[in-house]
Amino acid sequence: WESWIGPDGRLIWVNSSVEHLTGYTPRECLAMDGYPLPIVCAEDRTRVAQAHAGQRGENLEYRIRHRDGALRWVSESWQPILGPGGEALGHRSSVRDIGALKDAERVLEQKISALAHSEQLQRLSALQAQQEQARMVSLLSAMRVGILFEAVDKRVLYHNPAFRRAWLIPDEIDLKGRDTREVLRYSANVPAR
């Protein structure tokens, strides 16, 4: 809605869109003392009054209380109105409904919060998996039996130290990722083959 506030702070003119956003007719707004503050949500009034003390402003977001009691988010911009001789005639105010934008922001914040929570759970799960893997590796490394795990593509995923000892494979040869059929080529334990 558009308004013209005089230099004395009183409403001079307001268009009919005010009724759609606030539930108050232009006539009711003209009769209000301290317009638009009676429509502004009580928690936002001081901030709005302080902002209006400035000559101009843009995108001041605040809540208004509709005649039916519902709170609505609006954004206001205002600028001075000057007469032909440069004299101050008050200021022009434009207020627009940003309820849909605030709803979208709220949904986005909820999704970001849910995503952050999910990420935290994933980190926790990854940490638990790493700890479990470390326990498993410690257990398998302590075993005296040679153990070798291979992937579906017949490549070495894991082997314990006992496997190297049993097959006399030097420590400097990296077996991980190699084809398991080739592993025994590195063995110095010929009878064991």
Side-chain angles (χ1 to χ4, degrees), residues 3-104:
S3 303
W4 175 8
I5 311 290
D8 60 355
R10 295 199 48 84
L11 178 63
I12 295 172
W13 172 85
V14 62
N15 71 356
S16 60
S17 295
V18 73
E19 189 168 2
H20 172 69
L21 286 172
T22 69
Y24 295 96
T25 66
R27 182 175 296 230
E28 289 171 317
C29 292
L30 285 163
M32 278 183 197
D33 189 33
Y35 170 92
L37 292 179
I39 301 171
V40 175
C41 176
E43 293 87 352
D44 296 341
R45 279 186 195 143
T46 302
R47 185 170 55 84
V48 170
Q50 289 170 345
H52 283 174
Q55 289 247 324
R56 67 176 60 241
E58 289 186 19
N59 303 319
L60 175 64
E61 294 181 1
Y62 57 90
R63 294 161 299 168
I64 59 169
R65 185 154 314 270
H66 191 275
R67 177 178 231 142
D68 66 9
L71 286 177
R72 293 191 178 179
W73 277 99
V74 296
S75 175
E76 181 182 8
S77 297
W78 63 98
Q79 60 192 23
I81 299 173
L82 303 175
E87 68 277 8
L89 300 177
H91 71 269
R92 174 182 170 262
S93 170
S94 298
V95 180
R96 63 186 173 92
D97 184 350
I98 58 167
L101 175 66
K102 288 297 185 179
D103 289 344

